[in-house]
Every structure is written in structure tokens, then in C-alpha cells.
Amino acid sequence: MARSVLQYLKYQYPEIRVLYVEDEKFSREKLLRVLNRRFAHIHVAIDGVEGLQLYQKYKPDLIIADIKMNQMSGLEMIKKIRAQNEKVQVIVTTAYEDNEFFVQSIENNVNHYILKPIDLDLFLQAIQKSVYQIQLEKELEKQKNLTRTILDFQDNLIFVIEDGNIVEWNQAFTNITGIGIHTNHSSSYQSQFLSSFFVEDPHYFYPKDKTRWIEEFLATGKTSAKIRWKSSPGNDYNYVMKAGTIPGSKQILFVLTDITDLERESRQKEHLAMLDPLTSSYTRQKFKEILISEMRRTERFDRAFSLILMDIDFFHTLNEQIGQTAGDRILITVSTIVQQRIRECDIFARWGGEEFILLVPETNGKEAVFLAESIRSIIEKYQFPHIGQVTCSFGVSEFAPGKTKNELLLELEKALAISKANGRNRVTLFTEEL
């Protein structure tokens, strides 16, 4: 008998489909009264055989089953259902406190195990937990479907290959490859034609034998890979290439989603994250990463490098006198002066507040002092608009194999501190005598 719309709206879980399997009539009718107040869709079976048939017909979201029944036990039924669906929620009930049943329940991924006589509170808690998991899975599936629909509306490159020939394609594919410009879709092209489009890049899929690119891609066991292609106009594009066999045929469907702009934007954001937003020099964190890498390289190849730490003299006093905006202009100008003076291979970063740090590869301490003195002199002679003269103090330290990062930076701080203590606007090289 059909339930009215009003009744349907009163159910606690109106969208959840339930399969209830119980061979004992009294227990079945008793628990069914509880379930009928909460679910609109309930399918009832008296044994595992009927339960399995109902499951295959209605594909319920939640299974509630007794363990021991005639013909087919609840656990046998659950095992067969689990082979078809690993995510369906399962609650088992049993009058037997037998460890063997409990272990078998665990092996069959039973979600909740309820002893008879059933404690209603525990039973309802189990239902609530299962329903929450079901609703979560449905919401995730809904989001997946939404994402899939959105992707379907993109201007993806789509083509179909059968027996080594490109037999179907869309306009976006034609625009990039030129295939189909002068022919109709009744023609076909060898898939090897596409081998010339692959661009070698260590971060993208690139076949060893480009004439067998399909076999190599499928042999990876992956359903998707990033590739770089050159188009007929000569531009490079980045794609996510997905492939799958069309059911009931030998045809393979390929979908290429353009991620060129996304990857370019990602690289730009990654680059911006490395830079101090005010001075366009590297951040302290990025500098530390580069420093560790340079220490490893230097120890491996037995080469020299040095660090220069510089501090704008009396910057806090200047900031109070001229204001933060003018103070920021000093920081920007000092950063610009240094970046114009150093080599392309040198690494310059804002270390903090008014401090900057410089890594100079292939440079010993005396050579680094010469560079620091040059920068100091340029800054001293520069006339800052509305401010006049600004000076900087410098500390220099040369890396030696065996030094730790912290030891090197402490030497640098000590050398800078000595420059400040000796009157500022000077360069000090760290030595063991300091």
C-alpha cells in the first residue's frame, strides 16, 4: 500500500533505502515497527537467499541482518553483497556471544555488531552513524557528478582511436592538430601522426618510442597523465590526458584537458610566494632553503661561497622621523641598489625588518668583503629623496666544509654586530680571532 506524501515527509530518513533480513517472526515484527517510523523505503526478507535477491533488485543503502538464518546465513549474504559493494552500510544482530561470529563480522567489514535482546539506544546510535556515513557518501558522489558535469562543458580535446587509427575527434582537437580541416569525419588518420606533437619534459609523460605512444601510456597502468604538446601554430600546451576503453568496443576514448593557464598561474603564485612583497627580494624562508642546497653543493664539489648580512643604520629612528611610507621607500631603494650590483647567480633576500642577506657562490671571504664594500659605498653616496644620506653596516662569513647552517649564520650575526659596535657604515669579515 502506497504511503501518503504527508507520511513520507514525517520520516526521519526519507531518502535512505533499507534491507532488513530476519527469520524470527516476533523479532522481525518488533524491530520493523521501529524502522517503519524512521525509513520510507524498507525491503524485508526472511533469509539470506531472499535478502540477496532484494539487494540485487533494489540496491539498498543500509542492510540490517541477523547472523544465523536458514538456507543462507546473514554473514554469507553479507559476504556476497560485499563482493558487489564495499561501501554499503551493514548492521548485524545476533543472540550469540560467540567470538567466531564477531571475527567473521570484522572480516566481512560489518559496520556495527548488536547483541540480542537489542538495546534500542545502541541500535538507534548504530543507525544514526550508518545514516551519517551514507549521507556523506551521497554528498561526495553528488560533488563528483557536479565536477564531472562541469568538465564535460570545457573545451577539451576529444578523440577516439581504434586499431591504431583516429576515427573520431572534435573541433577543439582539429584546432590544435589540424586533423579534419580539409576532410570530413568519415576519414581516419593513423595515431602515429600524433607522435610528433609530444614535447620532451621530465615533468610530463613522454614516450621512449613515440610511434608506440599509446602502448607506452596504457602500460603505465594509469588512467591519466600530464603531457606537453606543440600545436600546429607552434605553441606548447600542457594537458591532462585521460584514456578509457569504450564499453562493448575496441575503441579507446582520449580526453585532453588544457591546464596551460592553470600551471602558468601556479608557477607565478609559487614564484610570488618566494618573494618579499615590498622589496621583490627572496623571503627569509626561501633563502634558508637555497642556503641548505648551496651548502650541500659546495661540500660535494669542494667549492667556496660566502654570506653577506647587511643592516640599514638607525633605520628605526629614520622610520619614526620620516614615517613608514618613506621608510618603505628606503627599503625598496636599498634592495634595488643591491640587486643591480650583484650577479645573476647571487641570491639576495630580505632577512627581516631592515636586514638583508646575500649568498655569493664561488666567492671566498675576501672577495665577498670587496663586494660588500662596493655596495656599502654606493648606498653611502646615494642621495635618498627628501632624506639625504643613508648608510648600512655589513657582516661577512665564508662557508667552510663541516660548518652547520646555524654556525654560519651566528658568525654572520657576530661580524655584523662588530661593524655596528665600531661605528656602523663598515664591513667586517668574521675570523676566529673576533
Side-chain angles (χ1 to χ4, degrees), residues 30-136:
K30 182 179 179 182
L31 200 59
L32 197 55
R33 286 194 292 271
V34 175
L35 296 175
N36 278 329
R37 291 196 293 270
R38 289 163 175 81
F39 298 98
H41 306 287
I42 302 174
H43 305 285
V44 183
I46 61 172
D47 56 44
V49 173
E50 185 182 8
L52 184 60
Q53 292 172 347
L54 290 174
Y55 173 80
Q56 292 169 339
K57 182 177 181 180
Y58 297 105
K59 296 296 187 290
D61 308 296
L62 171 62
I63 298 170
I64 302 169
D66 187 32
I67 284 182
K68 295 198 71 176
M69 290 181 290
N70 295 326
Q71 294 195 65
M72 181 188 292
S73 73
L75 288 176
E76 289 179 85
M77 178 193 73
I78 291 164
K79 185 176 181 179
K80 292 179 181 295
I81 291 173
R82 277 284 183 236
Q84 303 174 40
N85 187 342
E86 294 181 352
K87 293 184 178 181
V88 64
Q89 287 288 307
V90 177
I91 300 173
V92 298
T93 63
T94 180
Y96 300 92
E97 294 188 62
D98 191 322
N99 286 338
E100 183 182 347
F101 287 129
F102 186 70
V103 170
Q104 289 181 38
S105 296
I106 294 174
E107 290 174 349
N108 286 286
N109 296 322
V110 167
N111 301 101
H112 302 282
Y113 189 90
I114 307 293
L115 289 173
K116 293 180 178 180
I118 292 174
D119 183 315
L120 189 58
D121 288 337
L122 290 177
F123 180 68
L124 293 178
Q125 286 177 21
I127 284 179
Q128 189 175 19
K129 290 177 182 178
S130 287
V131 167
Y132 174 78
Q133 188 63 37
I134 293 165
Q135 291 171 338
L136 184 63

Side-chain angles (χ1 to χ4, degrees), residues 319-344:
N319 224 16
E320 290 175 359
Q321 292 174 350
I322 63 179
Q324 184 177 344
T325 301
D328 285 349
R329 283 199 293 270
I330 292 176
L331 292 169
I332 294 169
T333 303
V334 167
S335 175
T336 302
I337 289 171
V338 176
Q339 292 188 63
Q340 290 178 344
R341 172 63 183 82
I342 62 178
R343 304 168 299 178
E344 188 174 343

Side-chain angles (χ1 to χ4, degrees), residues 16 29 33 93 112 215 239 326 369 389 408:
I16 305 297
E29 292 177 350
R33 286 194 292 271
T93 63
H112 302 282
E215 291 90 334
Y239 297 102
V369 167
Q389 187 186 56
L408 188 63

